Amino acid sequence: MIQIPMRPAVSLSLAFVLLLLSLHLHAILPCHAATTDTLSPGQELTGGDKLLSSNGRFALGFFQTGSNFSHDTTNPELKWYLGIWFHTVPKFTPVWVANAENPVANLASCKLLLSLDDGNLVMPSSNNRSSTVAIWSSRATATATSTAASLLDNGNLVLHSASNASDIFWQSFDHPTDTILQGAKIGWSNATGLMIRRRLVSRKNAVDQTPGLYSFQLLFGHGGHTSIVSMYNSSDTYWSSGDWGGRYFSNIPETVGQTWLSLNFTSSEQGKYIEYAVEDPTVLSRGTMDVSGQMKVLVWFEGSQDWQTIYTAPNSQCDVYASCGPFTVCSDVPSPSCSCMKGYSIRSPQDWELEDRTGGCARDTPLYCNGSSAAAGSEHQADKFYPMPSVQLPSDGRSVGTATSADECSVVCLGSCSCTAYSYDDQGGCYIWHGRLLNVRQQGNSVLHLRVAAKEVQGISKTSNRGVVIGAAIGASTATFCLVFLLTIWMRKGKRHGDDAQGGMGVIAFRYAELLYATKSFSEKLGAGSFGSVFKGSLSDSTTIAVKRLDGVRQGEKQFRAEVSSIGIIQHVNLVKLIGFCCQGDRRLLVYEYMPNGSLDSHLFQSNGGTVLDWTIRYQIALGVARALAYLHASCRDCIIHCDIKPENILLDGSFTPKVADFGMAKFLGRDFSHVVTTMRGTVGYLAPEWISGTAITSKVDVYSYGMVLLEII
Ligand SMILES: *[C@@H]1O[C@H](CO)[C@@H](O)[C@H](O)[C@H]1NC(C)=O
Ligand SMILES: *[C@@H]1O[C@H](CO)[C@@H](O)[C@H](O)[C@H]1NC(C)=O
């Protein structure tokens, strides 16, 4: 009966390798040689069997997701799912899950077969073959007595007539989970005779495949308007593509002419849907409603052996509804992070580590109002308010017209046990909030007065570190990996802490896809510096740019944004201007103004092929670089020691005006400099002796390097 070949035991070594390869998810995949893409009548798929699409790209079988997060290793509650994944990709990536809400505890009871009753695909529970009490079933109504199931080359699992493969009764593309693949649709479609609504739903967390709260779907408004929206709990829209106008959705015109992604809306008798298409069929790509609530388009890059995010919607993590959960503050700068409000602690640190923040934070000390019996004794005191400045208020506040001063407003709030915060300002008046506080963001200039137990406010000085802010970078992988990256970067670059940075004024955040387009897929290389390669590009307004791709620098997003923010505010005629940056997934790019005459070294040292500079120009360069250093050392707001002055870092514009590059990569003046010595930068020859002798590093190290450059100029 069973024609699909099987291998018995789970290969432990394979499991171990996979465990190392994946950050969020790992699969313990049984070793197995699949030979077929079709499950025929009478056959069944058990334990380690799988169907393989004929092009080898997708596999259907049973998989287990697990966690490699430190404290979770003792957790044996890893369950089995029936699903489809990318078979050619070493990083385990499921694209569809059948029994997401009903995982199976042990592999031995995993089985997939074609029901003898009605031809449906069934995962029977124990030995009962009926589809009605199944763990999972395709539940197609119009089936033939003899059916077969095939895994197609595009990753679609179809249930069809055994005698005619075009006669389709059910397909997995009609029931997507969090992922859309090339050729799949979102919206309404009647491909199998039934109008089926397809939408993407996030997973609960990086391990648990249970549907989460974020969805990505088509919305049909009044008057024939159609848009794509991201929703929270099927009710709150936090992102919209805008209406379809015939060629593109109004808020995302950038999707027109994209080779990586096209979103075409179709309205016909077959349905109303958008189809996900990628021009190059050899590219492995997927659109995924991420656990974080961001819709992401990812492409597999062979070079880095990883998925790279090329598009996200919304662009900012803090724009996602309830992104950090209740009683948290979401912050975009210097990098997206969530922190608990004063007097609150993370409800479930384990869920947070798995990027599921729906639980948010919980109050440490009960309020006097509803917790008086718990806090019995001498601590009986009315609740206090803790002011949270510079925040964007949650939108669901209730206006209290009767309160005409901040004091009156606070009294109204104290009068209700469910009131958790108030805000008051002369123009807007009094607002109070009941219950959980969602979507508070570190942005703007409003003040939210958070209600806390009196004890919390009194104890600020003593307990300021306890449970106040436990920042967690969104999208951060495991703590271990981060630590290794951060250490590496610290050792290499001697960087300042992220909290030094203010907002990056006027610095544009580019999407990776935009820079790909601007640089024609990084086709014109200008040079390779200490941190990566530089490519020439052109923006849509025909500004020529130099894009520095930080190759191999797997810098944490927080640090990166901090660096960008602090560099962005430094501007001088003799400093290369930072126009923007891109920080998407693992990609780190800096966008600078383009310098047509290259770097000084190519002109000083003839072997590099530059033109010979005359004395006027040499003088002008010497003066310009000195001005730039004087500015960095003394005049700009946060004094900066360059630490790496050398001809390669002095660029020349069209009229040979010098512009110093790579500044701001060193620590700010006045911070712990003894450690900087150990992370010595610069190039031997231009390095001041104090780098080696261990005496204090001052701005004079730049003066020394400048002196060496001056000698070379002469
Ligand atoms: C197979 O099924 C398709 C779709 O139902 C139908 O159009 C076609 O005529 C069938 N072919 C045969 C040989 O029965
Ligand atoms: C989601 O919505 C349902 C029904 O509207 C509600 O009962 C549930 O509490 C909501 N869940 C969350 C986490 O907001």
Side-chain angles (χ1 to χ4, degrees):
M1 288 294 272
I2 301 163
Q3 291 162 15
I4 297 165
M6 287 187 295
R7 296 269 176 85
V10 170
S11 160
L12 279 177
S13 59
L14 176 64
F16 184 66
V17 168
L18 285 166
L19 203 125
L20 289 178
L21 280 173
S22 61
L23 285 176
H24 293 294
L25 274 174
H26 71 258
I28 296 171
L29 299 174
C31 191
H32 180 260
T35 52
T36 176
D37 61 352
T38 300
L39 188 69
S40 305
Q43 288 184 325
E44 53 183 46
L45 208 65
T46 58
D49 302 334
K50 63 190 171 201
L51 297 183
L52 208 56
S53 63
S54 63
N55 62 359
R57 191 178 272 193
F58 294 98
L60 167 89
F62 299 97
F63 68 89
Q64 193 181 35
T65 62
S67 156
N68 60 357
F69 295 94
S70 50
H71 60 252
D72 216 30
T73 48
T74 53
N75 183 358
E77 291 176 21
L78 302 177
K79 301 281 178 62
W80 292 92
Y81 295 97
L82 168 70
I84 299 169
W85 63 88
F86 281 98
H87 189 248
T88 51
V89 160
K91 190 167 182 168
F92 181 71
T93 314
V95 297
W96 180 74
V97 183
N99 57 326
E101 284 162 280
N102 203 3
V104 180
N106 72 61
L107 185 59
S109 50
C110 286
K111 205 179 276 184
L112 180 71
L113 48 84
L114 294 154
S115 161
L116 294 175
D117 305 338
D118 57 10
N120 267 304
L121 273 168
V122 185
M123 270 178 84
S125 58
S126 59
N127 288 323
N128 191 333
R129 293 202 156 212
S130 163
S131 61
T132 48
V133 290
I135 292 166
W136 174 82
S137 163
S138 55
R139 296 208 176 87
T141 45
T143 57
T145 44
S146 183
T147 56
S150 302
L151 183 60
L152 306 185
D153 283 350
N154 58 5
N156 190 9
L157 176 68
V158 296
L159 178 69
H160 54 79
S161 156
S163 54
N164 181 357
S166 308
D167 199 4
I168 295 170
F169 310 121
W170 177 93
Q171 55 180 348
S172 63
F173 271 15
D174 279 339
H175 307 272
T177 48
D178 62 345
T179 300
I180 184 169
L181 295 170
Q182 285 184 53
K185 295 165 183 149
I186 288 177
W188 294 90
S189 163
N190 65 352
T192 52
L194 289 169
M195 267 294 182
I196 291 174
R197 180 185 181 218
R198 310 166 185 197
R199 56 177 203 153
L200 304 183
V201 179
S202 65
R203 300 295 96 186
K204 184 166 181 337
N205 62 41
V207 171
D208 188 344
Q209 299 293 302
T210 309
L213 290 164
Y214 300 108
S215 61
F216 185 79
Q217 62 193 73
L218 275 187
L219 191 72
F220 303 105
H222 301 295
H225 292 301
T226 305
S227 56
I228 318 171
V229 294
S230 291
M231 279 186 159
Y232 174 78
N233 202 14
S234 301
S235 58
D236 296 285
T237 300
Y238 58 89
W239 180 84
S240 169
S241 67
D243 290 337
W244 175 252
R247 275 183 68 220
Y248 57 86
F249 291 92
S250 61
N251 294 344
I252 48 170
E254 66 267 30
T255 53
V256 172
Q258 274 274 3
T259 52
W260 297 91
L261 159 80
S262 83
L263 289 172
N264 261 326
F265 177 67
T266 306
S267 178
S268 71
E269 283 180 5
Q270 274 71 50
K272 289 174 153 191
Y273 53 82
I274 48 165
E275 185 165 343
Y276 174 59
V278 176
E279 211 166 76
D280 185 347
T282 63
V283 168
L284 282 187
S285 80
R286 64 191 165 105
T288 299
M289 188 53 168
D290 197 65
V291 173
S292 69
Q294 275 180 313
M295 178 67 195
K296 294 182 176 174
V297 175
L298 301 105
V299 171
W300 179 260
F301 277 66
E302 283 299 331
S304 59
Q305 288 288 293
D306 202 356
W307 293 101
Q308 302 294 341
T309 308
I310 61 162
Y311 193 84
T312 54
N315 205 14
S316 165
Q317 178 62 61
C318 291
D319 283 333
V320 173
Y321 191 93
S323 162
C324 297
F327 301 108
T328 57
V329 180
C330 189
S331 170
D332 287 305
V333 178
S335 75
S337 64
C338 297
S339 51
C340 288
M341 291 179 178
K342 168 75 187 158
Y344 286 80
S345 301
I346 296 171
R347 191 183 288 274
S348 167
Q350 191 170 329
D351 284 343
W352 271 48
E353 233 180 292
L354 297 171
E355 292 173 36
D356 171 18
R357 284 176 244 278
T358 45
C361 300
R363 199 184 282 284
D364 294 330
T365 312
L367 293 180
Y368 170 66
C369 191
N370 44 17
S372 47
S373 57
S378 60
E379 288 182 52
H380 268 221
Q381 269 190 64
D383 299 327
K384 296 271 193 309
F385 288 96
Y386 177 78
M388 298 167 56
S390 319
V391 295
Q392 182 180 296
L393 302 172
S395 58
D396 55 352
R398 197 176 297 171
S399 175
V400 182
T402 52
T404 55
S405 72
D407 279 348
E408 283 175 34
C409 195
S410 72
V411 169
V412 173
C413 185
L414 285 178
S416 160
C417 277
S418 65
C419 179
T420 45
Y422 80 90
S423 82
Y424 184 87
D425 82 76
D426 293 334
Q427 282 89 47
C430 170
Y431 277 88
I432 62 170
W433 284 265
H434 291 282
R436 59 184 193 170
L437 296 168
L438 284 175
N439 302 316
V440 176
R441 189 167 178 177
Q442 201 69 58
Q443 168 175 296
N445 47 18
S446 302
V447 182
L448 183 70
H449 296 270
L450 178 71
R451 185 180 188 171
V452 291
K455 191 176 138 220
E456 292 286 347
V457 183
Q458 288 156 351
I460 285 180
S461 57
K462 271 177 275 171
T463 61
S464 60
N465 287 331
R466 194 195 51 135
V468 178
V469 174
I470 303 170
I474 291 178
S477 310
T478 66
T480 322
F481 270 79
C482 278
L483 200 65
V484 171
F485 290 157
L486 293 184
L487 276 177
T488 312
I489 276 120
W490 261 322
M491 296 303 285
R492 282 175 50 179
K493 305 184 76 182
K495 296 186 38 58
R496 65 200 168 274
H497 295 293
D499 54 26
D500 286 343
Q502 300 301 307
M505 297 166 189
V507 180
I508 305 163
F510 287 93
R511 290 195 168 122
Y512 185 64
E514 286 177 296
L515 294 183
L516 259 183
Y517 184 76
T519 58
K520 299 195 181 70
S521 304
F522 301 104
S523 50
E524 195 175 345
K525 194 169 180 171
L526 294 172
S530 36
F531 302 111
S533 307
V534 183
F535 299 87
K536 190 174 175 181
S538 179
L539 295 179
S540 52
D541 63 0
S542 71
T543 313
T544 312
I545 52 170
V547 179
K548 184 166 199 162
R549 196 173 64 187
L550 301 171
D551 285 334
V553 176
R554 303 201 119 208
Q555 188 176 32
E557 184 167 346
K558 184 170 175 157
Q559 272 205 323
F560 182 73
R561 283 185 183 255
E563 181 171 293
V564 165
S565 302
S566 58
I567 296 173
I569 56 177
I570 302 164
Q571 294 189 7
H572 186 271
V573 66
N574 293 119
L575 291 173
V576 175
K577 187 167 178 247
L578 181 72
I579 297 173
F581 70 103
C582 170
C583 182
Q584 219 169 298
D586 286 343
R587 308 223 150 237
R588 302 286 182 269
L589 301 103
L590 296 173
V591 180
Y592 289 101
E593 58 177 332
Y594 173 70
M595 293 291 130
N597 277 317
S599 61
L600 179 59
D601 64 321
S602 67
H603 300 280
L604 288 183
F605 313 115
Q606 283 303 292
S607 59
N608 294 358
T611 51
V612 182
L613 304 171
D614 66 34
W615 281 111
T616 330
I617 287 173
R618 284 174 197 246
Y619 179 68
Q620 179 188 316
I621 291 168
L623 214 57
V625 176
R627 284 200 183 105
L629 289 178
Y631 177 75
L632 286 176
H633 291 169
S635 305
C636 68
R637 207 178 58 180
D638 298 297
C639 291
I640 278 177
I641 305 179
H642 189 291
C643 294
D644 205 8
I645 291 292
K646 55 185 176 182
E648 286 86 340
N649 279 336
I650 296 163
L651 305 183
L652 303 169
D653 74 5
S655 53
F656 287 92
T657 302
K659 302 213 178 207
V660 174
D662 257 6
F663 59 92
M665 306 248 178
K667 276 201 170 217
F668 285 126
L669 191 66
R671 277 205 158 260
D672 200 6
F673 257 104
S674 55
H675 294 306
V676 181
V677 180
T678 57
T679 62
M680 194 168 59
R681 299 168 41 80
T683 307
V684 180
Y686 302 97
L687 276 182
E690 52 264 48
W691 283 111
I692 293 120
S693 69
T695 48
I697 299 298
T698 67
S699 56
K700 286 177 183 164
V701 297
D702 284 346
V703 179
Y704 181 95
S705 306
Y706 174 73
M708 299 308 282
V709 173
L710 194 60
L711 280 176
E712 288 186 312
I713 290 175
I714 294 166

